[in-house]
C-alpha cells in the first residue's frame, strides 16, 4: 500500500539512514532502492534545495521525531528537476512492535495544485480589487440581510456620503434613491439575493 502511494514516503533508522523509500520517492530522485538504502536523506538527492541550512533543518526535525514528536511543515517549496513543487511535510516517530521508537517516518504530500490555485485566486482578487478601487462606477455588495459587504470608493464621490456612513446604515442607499425609483430598486435587490 505504501509503495503505491502518490505521496513520497521514506523510513529512516535511529542513525537517520534510509531503510525504506517508496516508489514515488524513488521515481522522483531517479534512483533505485540499492542506491538509496543506507544513505542519509541529503545523499539521496532530495530535497533538491540542499545546502547546509537545509541539512541542519532536516536533522533537527528528525531528532524531534526521534524524541517522539510529530513535526508538520506546511507548503514547503522544492525544485525537483523541473518547475517548483509544494509539499506538506510530516516527520513522525517510527515505532516497533513494543512501541519503542526505531526510526523516523517522513511523508511529503504534494500540494502544488492547491498552492497554485490559492496563488491564482490571490492574484485574481488583487486584480479585481485594483479594478474596483479605481473604477468610476458605483460598486456595492450587500448580503441577504441588506448589510453592505463592500463599497467602492466612487460611492463617496457620487453620493457625497462616506463609506463608514453607508456601512453604519444599510438603509442609507434606499433613502438616497428618488422615491419614484425605490420600488424598482427594492425589486432588483430582492431578485438578486442568492
Amino acid at each position: 500500500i505504501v509503495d503505491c502511494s502518490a505521496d513520497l514516503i521514506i523510513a529512516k533508522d535511529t542513525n537517520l539512514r534510509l531503510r525504506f523509500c517508496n516508489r514515488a520517492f524513488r521515481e522522483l530522485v531517479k534512483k533505485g532502492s540499492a542506491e538509496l538504502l543506507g544513505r542519509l536523506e541529503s545523499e539521496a538527492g532530495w530535497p533538491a534545495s540542499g545546502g547546509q541550512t537545509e541539512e541542519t533543518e532536516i536533522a533537527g526535525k528528525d531528532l524531534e521525531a526521534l524524541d517522539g514528536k510529530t513535526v508538520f511543515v506546511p507548503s514547503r517549496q522544492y525544485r525537483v528537476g523541473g518547475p517548483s513543487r509544494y509539499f506538506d511535510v510530516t516527520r513522525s516517530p517510527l515505532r516497533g512492535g513494543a512501541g519503542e521508537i526505531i526510526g523516523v517516518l517522513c511523508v511529503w504530500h504534494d500540494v502544488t495544485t492547491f498552492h497554485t490555485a490559492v496563488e491564482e485566486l490571490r492574484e485574481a482578487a488583487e486584480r479585481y480589487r485594483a479594478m474596483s478601487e479605481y473604477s468610476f462606477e458605483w460598486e456595492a455588495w450587500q448580503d441577504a440581510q441588506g448589510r453592505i459587504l463592500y463599497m467602492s470608493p466612487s460611492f463617496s464621490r457620487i453620493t457625497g456620503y462616506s463609506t463608514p456612513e453607508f456601512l453604519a446604515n444599510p438603509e442609507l442607499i434606499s433613502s438616497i434613491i428618488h422615491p419614484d425609483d425605490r420600488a424598482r430598486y427594492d425589486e432588483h435587490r430582492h431578485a438578486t439575493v442568492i
Side-chain angles (χ1 to χ4, degrees):
I1 293 173
V2 172
D3 207 40
C4 295
S5 174
D7 289 340
L8 311 178
I9 302 172
I10 62 173
K12 303 178 186 184
D13 61 22
T14 55
N15 294 317
L16 305 180
R17 299 281 175 181
L18 298 176
R19 293 297 170 221
F20 172 80
C21 305
N22 76 337
R23 183 180 342 168
F25 184 87
R26 293 189 310 267
E27 288 174 356
L28 182 77
V29 298
K30 296 179 177 38
K31 294 181 182 176
S33 293
E35 298 173 87
L36 295 169
L37 299 183
R39 297 190 177 276
L40 295 171
E41 183 179 331
S42 59
E43 296 171 337
W46 175 259
S49 54
Q52 188 63 38
T53 304
E54 184 81 24
E55 287 181 33
T56 302
E57 183 181 347
I58 289 169
K61 305 279 187 221
D62 284 345
L63 292 176
E64 286 185 63
L66 288 175
D67 281 343
K69 299 174 188 157
T70 295
V71 182
F72 177 74
V73 181
S75 272
R76 275 305 287 271
Q77 181 178 12
Y78 296 101
R79 187 167 182 85
V80 188
S84 291
R85 291 165 60 182
Y86 292 85
F87 293 88
D88 285 345
V89 184
T90 305
R91 293 174 185 269
S92 305
L94 184 60
R95 297 188 184 273
E100 76 280 14
I101 296 174
I102 60 171
V104 179
L105 180 67
C106 306
V107 179
W108 290 269
H109 178 69
D110 192 334
V111 293
T112 304
T113 302
F114 173 76
H115 191 277
T116 301
V118 167
E119 184 62 23
E120 288 172 357
L121 185 59
R122 186 197 62 74
E123 289 172 3
E126 190 174 304
R127 282 192 307 273
Y128 184 76
R129 183 198 55 75
M131 183 177 65
S132 65
E133 293 291 319
Y134 295 104
S135 171
F136 284 97
E137 303 285 326
W138 176 330
E139 297 285 336
W141 301 339
Q142 288 181 290
D143 65 13
Q145 289 73 41
R147 290 183 302 244
I148 296 173
L149 304 174
Y150 171 78
M151 182 170 293
S152 64
S154 61
F155 247 74
S156 294
R157 182 182 52 78
I158 294 168
T159 67
Y161 291 97
S162 69
T163 299
E165 289 175 286
F166 278 105
L167 295 175
N169 179 8
E171 295 304 314
L172 184 55
I173 292 176
S174 185
S175 72
I176 65 172
I177 295 174
H178 191 277
D180 294 344
D181 295 326
R182 279 191 196 138
R184 282 187 28 216
Y185 167 76
D186 289 337
E187 285 174 24
H188 170 75
R189 195 174 80 72
H190 292 295
T192 58
V193 171
I194 297 174

